[in-house]
């Protein structure tokens, strides 16, 4: 056997073993969902989405549900790509759906409305698998804590807009959620007014964004709207630059379709790909950027075409830096995520050293977002198929040896429902602790961890051990 054939065989065996491990982990997670979550919804998309973001809109959807909106995209080759808007029916805040009477069917008629705490103790065998979302290949994909009969858990694509190439990222403008910016495989950034597009486009309809931002010489992912100035957008790209745009001329009532927009300013301080960018939530002139050159840079947007940042941190991580996020509540705090598998927390007042290093992922960290309702809570997603929830207020808390084996005290929760790399996730600002996450295997999950996990110590103490003996581990899985 040649060395090439032997290497190929070894790789094939490794892939099979990894697939079996992922499948085993998923089955354990699936059986434990009633104890770990207030609800989980799993939906198989037609194509993978590289992006997801909740919109700040909520509508009443009946006695038990409220309708939320989620911005998604498609990633496919050889087929038409779309920017999409989905409606997601979530349980109302004061109660969730309990499935114990539904006989394991998402369309069962025995669903009842129960207090949140009872939901997390439902029998594992009764976690639901709504038929419309069932994936034959995955076999076990489904949901827990919702019922199709009550409209809770319903996920529908209600708007599709033709997009040129896959949607790398889509973000709505904070001052007008109908205005959306997208990035694809081309250097241009597209600006859309969703009110000017039909729900489902005709096959013959052209690709027609309201605005096209022209200036980058390569594609990218980094993109952030100003929360302070209407229509101002910052973007980063593989051309190592950051561009600042004013898109107002493309979204006015008399604007022509396809209006070309030139940058207001170009920032040239990075030596490699600019992976991510974010706008400070208090200072209207401050943006931050991170790059494959391992640097964290802070910029003043009032400077015209600057080549030097206001603050810079060289070698902020030991590998490429993929993401950053300014804390929306605490004005001096920001976080960065890296290919070195860590998340770093920084204080802008002293960038000489990081405040904290968060260790818990086993692969590259690709996305970060602070919780909109709690300044100490941060989420991160990774190529390790996990979304981690961190609570910085727990740093330094005493742990038992058993708890320490699961990670540091600040690692509040690990969402293990995905079986492929998590591409993006989003906190729901209108429904506390609810997160949407998308992965490369076409899966969209909407989930809310069990209240006992993040509640105060008194509530945690009261429920200690309440369901521990029911949790299923690897030994039990092997006996199935």
């Amino acid at each position: 056997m040649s060395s090439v054939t032997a290497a190929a065989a070894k790789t094939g065996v490794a892939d099979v073993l990894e697939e079996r491990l992922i499948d085993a982990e998923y089955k354990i997670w699936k059986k434990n969902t009633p104890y770990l979550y207030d609800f989980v919804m799993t939906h198989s998309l037609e194509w993978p989405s590289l992006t997801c973001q909740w919109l700040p809109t909520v509508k009443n959807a009946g006695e038990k549900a409220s309708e939320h909106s989620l911005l998604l995209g498609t990633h496919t080759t050889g087929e038409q790509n779309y920017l999409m808007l989905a409606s997601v029916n979530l349980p109302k805040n004061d109660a969730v759906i309990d499935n114990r009477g539904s006989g394991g069917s998402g369309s069962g008629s025995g669903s009842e409305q129960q207090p949140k705490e009872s939901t997390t103790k439902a029998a594992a065998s009764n976690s639901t698998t709504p038929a419309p979302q069932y994936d034959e290949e995955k076999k076990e994909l489904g949901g827990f804590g919702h019922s199709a009969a009550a409209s809770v858990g319903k996920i529908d694509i209600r708007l599709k807009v033709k997009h040129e190439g896959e949607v790398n990222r889509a973000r709505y403008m904070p001052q007008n959620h109908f205005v959306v910016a997208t990035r694809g495989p081309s250097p241009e950034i597209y600006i859309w007014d969703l009110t000017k597009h039909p729900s489902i486009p005709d096959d013959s309809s052209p690709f027609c964004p309201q605005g096209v931002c022209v200036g980058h010489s390569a594609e990218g992912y980094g993109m952030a709207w100003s929360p302070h100035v209407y229509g101002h957008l910052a973007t980063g790209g593989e051309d190592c630059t950051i561009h600042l745009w004013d898109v107002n001329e493309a979204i006015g009532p008399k604007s022509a379709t396809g209006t070309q927009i030139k940058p207001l300013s170009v920032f040239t301080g990075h030596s490699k790909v600019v992976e991510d960018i974010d706008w400070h939530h208090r200072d209207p002139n401050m943006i931050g950027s991170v790059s494959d050159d391992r640097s964290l840079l802070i910029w003043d947007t009032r400077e015209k075409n600057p080549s030097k940042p206001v603050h810079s941190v060289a070698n902020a991580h030991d590998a490429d830096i993929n993401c950053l996020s300014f804390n929306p509540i605490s004005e001096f705090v920001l976080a960065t995520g890296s290919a070195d598998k860590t998340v770093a927390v920084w204080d802008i007042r002293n960038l000489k050293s990081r405040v904290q290093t968060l260790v818990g992922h086993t692969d590259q960290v690709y996305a970060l977002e602070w919780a909109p309702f709690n300044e100490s809570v941060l989420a991160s997603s990774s190529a390790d198929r996990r979304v981690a929830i961190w609570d910085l207020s727990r740093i330094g808390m005493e742990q038992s040896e058993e708890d320490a084996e699961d990670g540091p005290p600040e690692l509040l929760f690990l969402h293990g429902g995905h079986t492929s790399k998590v591409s993006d996730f989003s906190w729901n600002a209108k429904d506390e602790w609810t997160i949407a996450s998308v992965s490369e295997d076409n899966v969209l999950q909407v989930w809310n961890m069990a209240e006992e996990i993040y509640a105060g110590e008194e509530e945690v103490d009261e429920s200690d051990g309440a369901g521990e003996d029911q949790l299923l581990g690897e030994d039990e899985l092997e006996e199935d």
Side-chain angles (χ1 to χ4, degrees):
M1 184 184 292
S2 70
S3 58
V4 175
T5 308
K10 191 178 289 185
T11 302
V13 171
D15 289 345
V16 170
L17 290 175
E18 184 182 19
E19 201 170 302
R20 286 180 181 173
L21 174 64
I22 292 171
D23 189 52
E25 287 178 349
Y26 177 78
K27 285 179 178 176
I28 294 170
W29 173 84
K30 174 72 174 170
K31 291 182 179 180
N32 287 330
T33 52
Y35 319 115
L36 298 174
Y37 299 86
D38 278 348
F39 63 80
V40 180
M41 305 169 190
T42 299
H43 183 84
S44 285
L45 299 164
E46 184 179 3
W47 302 109
S49 179
L50 300 177
T51 185
C52 90
Q53 187 186 27
W54 290 105
L55 266 60
T57 59
V58 184
K59 297 178 184 176
N60 187 40
E63 183 185 340
K64 298 176 181 178
S66 54
E67 182 186 295
H68 297 244
S69 296
L70 192 60
L71 201 58
L72 300 166
T74 63
H75 177 208
T76 180
T77 52
E79 300 280 345
Q80 177 64 53
N81 280 282
Y82 296 97
L83 168 67
M84 302 190 300
L85 195 61
S87 62
V88 181
N89 286 3
L90 299 180
K92 289 191 172 174
N93 285 334
D94 57 344
V96 297
I97 305 302
D98 182 89
N99 297 308
R100 283 172 288 188
S102 65
S105 168
S107 58
S109 59
S111 297
E112 299 175 2
Q113 206 162 1
Q114 299 284 353
K116 271 194 171 186
E117 54 267 28
S118 70
T119 312
T120 60
K121 301 297 176 274
S125 59
N126 283 342
S127 59
T128 67
T129 305
Q133 285 83 37
Y134 190 74
D135 187 329
E136 287 293 342
E137 290 184 10
K138 293 288 181 187
K139 299 300 181 188
E140 289 193 310
L141 282 183
F144 166 76
H146 61 93
S147 167
S151 84
V152 176
K154 186 180 179 185
I155 298 175
D156 286 324
I157 304 297
R158 71 168 194 262
L159 176 71
K160 294 172 76 173
V161 179
K162 283 187 175 180
H163 197 271
E164 204 165 80
E166 66 268 17
V167 182
N168 286 347
R169 189 161 290 179
R171 294 291 184 260
Y172 74 84
M173 185 168 75
Q175 299 88 346
N176 180 355
H177 66 268
F178 291 114
V179 176
V180 174
T182 63
R183 309 213 49 182
S186 67
E188 290 76 37
I189 295 94
Y190 304 120
I191 308 300
W192 309 86
D193 181 346
L194 299 183
T195 63
K196 296 182 179 180
H197 295 268
S199 297
I200 304 296
D202 293 331
D203 290 340
S204 59
S205 63
F207 167 74
C208 54
Q210 274 55 59
V212 181
C213 298
V214 180
H216 280 292
S217 59
E219 68 173 305
Y221 284 81
M223 183 166 63
W225 287 99
S226 167
H228 314 282
V229 182
Y230 192 100
H232 276 209
L233 177 72
T235 59
E238 292 183 5
D239 57 8
C240 312
T241 66
I242 298 157
H243 285 49
L244 179 63
W245 316 84
D246 180 351
V247 307
N248 280 293
E249 61 179 302
I251 55 175
K254 297 181 180 179
S255 299
T257 299
T259 300
Q260 286 209 355
I261 304 162
K262 301 291 184 183
L264 295 176
S265 196
V266 179
F267 303 71
T268 54
H270 287 292
S271 60
K272 291 187 178 179
V273 175
V274 179
E275 293 286 2
D276 200 14
I277 192 164
D278 198 19
W279 216 294
H280 195 271
H281 294 265
R282 298 279 183 88
D283 187 335
N285 304 306
M286 184 188 293
I287 59 174
S289 61
V290 291
S291 165
D292 286 356
D293 63 15
R294 305 184 183 184
S295 69
L296 162 63
L297 305 184
I298 307 295
W299 305 87
D300 186 335
T301 60
R302 290 170 295 189
E303 292 190 25
K304 184 73 173 174
N305 299 323
S307 58
K308 288 187 177 180
V310 178
H311 302 288
S312 66
V313 183
N315 295 312
H317 281 268
D318 294 331
D320 300 354
I321 309 178
N322 296 322
C323 48
L324 91 157
S325 180
F326 283 107
N327 192 308
I329 302 167
S330 182
E331 61 182 302
F332 300 116
V333 178
L334 70 100
T336 54
S338 169
D340 66 9
K341 308 174 187 176
T342 68
V343 174
V345 180
W346 305 84
D347 187 323
I348 300 172
R349 294 168 295 185
N350 181 12
L351 289 168
K352 290 178 181 177
S353 62
R354 58 181 66 177
V355 175
Q356 189 69 30
T357 301
L358 306 178
V359 179
H361 284 296
T362 59
D363 208 334
Q364 293 198 45
V365 178
Y366 278 108
L368 281 176
E369 189 183 357
W370 293 93
F373 54 85
N374 188 323
E375 65 181 326
S376 67
V377 175
L378 171 71
S380 58
S381 66
S382 165
D384 65 6
R385 313 181 303 278
R386 303 286 185 263
V387 180
I389 311 295
W390 310 87
D391 185 349
L392 305 189
S393 68
R394 297 177 181 235
I395 291 172
M397 283 177 61
E398 289 187 16
Q399 285 182 296
S400 66
E401 286 186 20
E402 187 179 356
D403 286 341
E405 289 176 5
D406 294 329
E410 61 270 19
L411 180 55
L412 182 64
F413 188 78
L414 268 179
H415 173 63
H418 290 287
T419 56
S420 187
K421 171 191 165 185
V422 179
S423 301
D424 199 11
F425 72 91
S426 177
W427 287 98
N428 190 332
K430 299 295 184 180
D431 199 75
E432 284 192 11
W433 296 101
T434 296
I435 288 178
S437 50
V438 288
S439 53
E440 288 185 340
D441 55 358
N442 301 30
V443 170
L444 160 67
Q445 287 187 328
V446 179
W447 46 279
N448 186 307
M449 76 175 88
E451 189 173 6
E452 290 93 326
I453 295 170
Y454 59 81
E457 284 187 20
E458 288 181 13
E459 295 164 84
V460 172
D461 288 342
E462 287 172 13
S463 62
D464 265 356
E468 287 176 7
D469 59 336
Q470 301 174 59
L471 291 177
L472 296 157
E474 293 181 21
D475 293 341
E476 271 187 88
L477 181 68
E478 291 169 3
E479 292 170 12
D480 285 351

